[in-house]
């Protein structure tokens, strides 16, 4: 760097500006590092709380590459869903058991603090608190009787040993986990076997309301298959259509065929204009005076042909429809 040639005042001012610039650079580096750390933490949190069905869909995509038959796709999907649900059940059971153990340890710790016995002391038998003269005599004349009266030292039973390995305790915990898992699966299967009535409207520019009964564990594809059987006799364009050519729109969201009604009921999923887990019919909330206020009710979903949607997706109401995204939340609607 060329040496500065000028007055002392100008040299001091130049030095002051150089130091100020270096300080600003250091502050900028610290700010960049802090932003990078916050971004990394946020990405980890998002990965940790990924949705259940999102993980299943990702695993299904990775395991089915190329042309796959519909039956193989259904079997693979059901197996992945069952495996994922078992993992979630085990995780919940382990978390519940951990909380129970922590509460028990905390209770034992508080009880231990109330005792006035040293946690590392050794207790004597009840017979050892007798006459001291007899103990002295037994030491001076060692006989079989004296040896039997010798002090018997042992561990203090009041000391907390829950942190030590215990085979019996681990077996009991495993037995309890298995019992809770079986109870959870039994309750889940019972809910899935329950029947419900789904009210829908076949939409071809105007609504044609129908109802179908289906199990809560049924998929959207099974629901569309039953709906198609009842609609074919009344609508000529559906006589040659297949299930894969139909779409089910609930609360302005296009639901995938592989999702089950049980998924929406358990997760209490919500759409743009109402809950996805209610399938009875009430007034359309968009006809209310305030569309941002929502009752805890829903209106009938729509069954449409894909060809009709492709032709009219720029026209209301199809212009409001969009694919279902489990990570997207519709929090601007409130329950009144």
């Amino acid at each position: 760097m060329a040496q500065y040639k000028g007055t002392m005042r100008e040299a001091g001012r130049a030095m002051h500006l150089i130091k100020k610039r270096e300080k600003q650079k250091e502050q900028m580096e610290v700010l960049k590092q802090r932003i990078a750390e916050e971004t990394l933490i946020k990405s980890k949190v998002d990965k940790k709380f990924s949705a259940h069905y999102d993980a299943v869909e990702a695993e299904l995509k990775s395991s089915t590459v190329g042309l796959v038959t519909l039956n193989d796709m259904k079997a693979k999907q059901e197996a992945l869903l069952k495996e994922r649900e078992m993992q979630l059940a085990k995780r919940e059971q382990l978390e519940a058991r951990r909380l129970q153990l922590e509460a028990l340890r905390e209770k034992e710790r508080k009880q231990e603090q109330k005792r006035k016995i040293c946690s590392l002391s050794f207790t004597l038998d009840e017979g050892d608190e007798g006459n001291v003269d007899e103990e002295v005599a037994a030491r001076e004349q060692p006989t079989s009787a004296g040896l039997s009266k010798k002090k018997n030292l042992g561990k203090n039973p009041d000391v907390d040993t829950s942190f030590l390995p215990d085979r019996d305790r681990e077996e009991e915990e495993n037995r309890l986990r298995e019992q809770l898992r079986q109870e959870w699966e039994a309750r889940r299967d019972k809910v899935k076997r329950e029947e419900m009535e789904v009210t829908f409207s076949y939409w071809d520019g105007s609504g044609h309301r129908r109802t179908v009964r289906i199990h809560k564990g049924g998929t959207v594809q099974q629901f569309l298959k039953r709906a198609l059987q009842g609609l074919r006799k009344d609508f000529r364009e559906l006589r040659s259509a297949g299930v894969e050519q139909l779409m089910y729109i609930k609360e302005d969201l296009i639901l995938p065929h592989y999702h089950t009604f049980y998924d929406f009921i358990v997760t209490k999923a919500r759409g743009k204009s109402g809950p996805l887990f209610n399938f009875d019919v009430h007034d359309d909330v968009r006809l209310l005076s305030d569309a941002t206020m929502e009752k805890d009710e829903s209106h009938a979903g729509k069954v449409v042909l894909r060809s009709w949607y492709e032709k009219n997706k720029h026209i209301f109401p199809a212009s409001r429809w969009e694919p279902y995204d489990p990570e997207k939340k519709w929090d601007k609607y409130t329950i009144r």
Side-chain angles (χ1 to χ4, degrees), residues 207-251:
H208 309 278
R209 186 162 292 180
R210 299 288 191 278
T211 58
V212 168
R213 294 194 65 83
I214 191 171
H215 295 286
K216 291 183 179 180
T219 61
V220 174
Q221 184 177 14
Q222 295 173 349
F223 157 72
L224 291 175
K225 184 176 180 180
R226 292 194 178 185
L228 183 61
Q229 292 175 357
L231 293 171
R232 276 176 175 166
K233 60 183 179 181
D234 297 329
F235 301 95
R236 182 178 301 176
E237 65 272 15
L238 297 178
R239 294 176 183 176
S240 60
V243 179
E244 63 279 356
Q245 299 176 10
L246 294 179
M247 299 169 56
Y248 180 48
I249 293 86
K250 186 75 168 66
E251 310 303 334

